[in-house]
Amino acid sequence: MPAGRYAPSPSGDLHVGNLRTAVLAWLFAQSTARDLLLRYEDLDASRTVAGSAERQRADLEALGVTFHGEVVFQSQRKHLYDDAVATLSAQGLVYECYCTRREIQDAPRAPHAPPGAYPGTCRLLSDQERRRRRAERPGALRLRAEAAQDRVHDELLGEVTASVDDFVLVRNDGAAAYNLAVVVDDHLTGVDQVVRADDLADSAPRQRYLRRLLYGAAAGDAVEYAHVPLVVNSGGRRLAKRDGAVTLAQLREQGVTPEQVRDALLRSLQLPTGPLQNAVEAFDPAALPRDPWVWEPLNG
Ligand code: GLU
């Protein structure tokens, strides 16, 4: 069964922006006869909040966002990420990098290099230099990328082209980095539809590039993307916890029910209200609003 997924980080309660993205992931999956999988992106232990995975799931289900199959926790999958790195290493596509953020920022770069791209400092170190640097600080592992950019087709954004630099595969504390974990998990769990907020659109070309290296061209091209608009506050900034009552728990305290929140989200998508199932037939990606949605506080 082909599948979509929703992949929150369990770092606290979901807010209405996250919930709206989850509703969209559910609608995209349902309307294309796909399962929807739930994956917790909990690789950064310092950001994981105890109990929040369970709370996030309960909130999603209160809106009608249901999931199929086993829930995946990235923190339990280090062996799979290590295997992928070993595959790339065997092809000479991995190198250690000892740069600090500061060094990357200050390094000289080619005139047309995209802003923020890794300047390649550690790519060509001699063995001797590598030994010296490794003794100073543990290395991260980077991909030796052979393309400067890649491209995906997005259902809502059209062609998305973005830079593919020598991005980090494994952080210097040994944890898999975001792009590696996403690519390995999406592939191994049969995901071929990625719906997420559009602030991540720029990472899709990198993920496609890595997927092709690891799993071949056909698998690399098999994923469909839909990057959906963010939810913003009345000042036009990305919605955050400090923007007042934005989680289901906070809204409940104000007398707003999960059904009212679900209906507000559906209205914002110009879809029929009521149980999510009611919206499946009317759901048409081409008709979705393309602008960020401005969250107005709801009153119970
Ligand atoms: N974990 C990411 C987030 O919560 C989503 C990553 C993805 O969907 O690829 O924003």
Side-chain angles (χ1 to χ4, degrees):
M1 183 82 164
R5 70 347 183 247
Y6 182 62
S9 302
S11 55
D13 285 354
L14 298 170
H15 62 53
V16 288
N18 310 129
L19 294 169
R20 188 176 189 253
T21 300
V23 165
L24 282 165
W26 189 91
L27 286 166
F28 267 96
Q30 280 285 316
S31 62
T32 56
R34 285 179 165 88
D35 282 349
L36 185 67
L37 313 181
L38 177 59
R39 175 171 85 225
Y40 289 111
E41 301 210 325
D42 59 348
L43 285 172
D44 189 346
S46 68
R47 291 188 54 227
T48 299
V49 173
S52 83
E54 294 75 16
R55 287 168 64 92
Q56 290 184 344
R57 180 156 195 185
D59 285 354
L60 291 162
E61 288 184 346
L63 299 185
V65 177
T66 48
F67 297 96
H68 300 88
E70 289 216 359
V71 178
V72 166
F73 287 86
Q74 290 188 325
S75 57
Q76 297 169 2
R77 295 165 68 83
K78 185 172 174 351
H79 56 293
L80 300 171
Y81 311 135
D82 288 348
D83 285 352
V85 172
T87 303
L88 296 168
S89 282
Q91 299 170 60
L93 294 176
V94 179
Y95 65 90
E96 274 187 39
C97 167
Y98 317 95
C99 292
T100 60
R101 240 172 254 250
R102 189 70 222 217
E103 285 167 333
I104 295 175
Q105 232 172 43
D106 294 350
R109 55 189 72 232
H112 300 296
Y118 181 64
T121 322
C122 290
R123 219 187 219 245
L124 300 171
L125 294 182
S126 66
D127 287 348
Q128 191 189 0
E129 186 68 359
R130 227 170 254 292
R131 276 194 298 278
R132 190 185 67 74
R133 301 282 319 249
R134 196 180 287 139
E136 284 167 6
R137 72 194 298 266
L141 299 180
R142 285 186 184 272
L143 177 70
R144 191 184 292 276
E146 270 143 22
Q149 54 180 38
D150 206 338
R151 190 161 65 154
V152 300
H153 176 78
D154 184 281
E155 184 86 16
L156 301 178
L157 304 176
E159 299 299 311
V160 176
T161 303
S163 106
V164 177
D165 61 345
D166 287 0
F167 56 88
V168 173
L169 299 168
V170 178
R171 302 182 331 200
N172 77 351
D173 63 0
Y178 164 69
N179 285 306
L180 174 68
V182 165
V183 167
V184 170
D185 287 338
D186 283 345
H187 181 75
L188 296 183
T189 58
V191 165
D192 66 352
Q193 182 181 62
V194 170
V195 177
R196 59 188 172 195
D198 65 10
D199 57 340
L200 286 170
D202 273 1
S203 57
R206 277 186 174 147
Q207 291 170 12
R208 170 179 187 260
Y209 183 81
L210 181 57
R211 206 164 47 238
R212 286 168 63 98
L213 285 179
L214 281 169
Y215 307 116
D221 289 339
V223 176
E224 287 179 18
Y225 288 96
H227 288 93
V228 304
L230 285 175
V231 178
V232 296
N233 63 20
S234 50
R237 279 179 304 277
R238 193 195 162 119
L239 195 71
K241 296 267 159 61
R242 61 180 171 278
D243 291 316
V246 291
T247 67
L248 281 198
Q250 293 168 332
L251 286 159
R252 264 200 204 98
E253 270 175 37
Q254 303 199 341
V256 180
T257 66
E259 290 75 21
Q260 287 172 308
V261 177
R262 176 201 64 205
D263 286 350
L265 297 177
L266 288 167
R267 268 193 296 276
S268 81
L269 298 167
Q270 295 165 15
L271 289 167
T273 55
L276 288 191
Q277 196 62 45
N278 294 358
V280 174
E281 203 168 317
F283 180 68
D284 173 12
L288 284 176
R290 301 304 169 94
D291 292 330
W293 181 48
V294 184
W295 167 251
E296 310 280 357
L298 284 179
N299 294 306

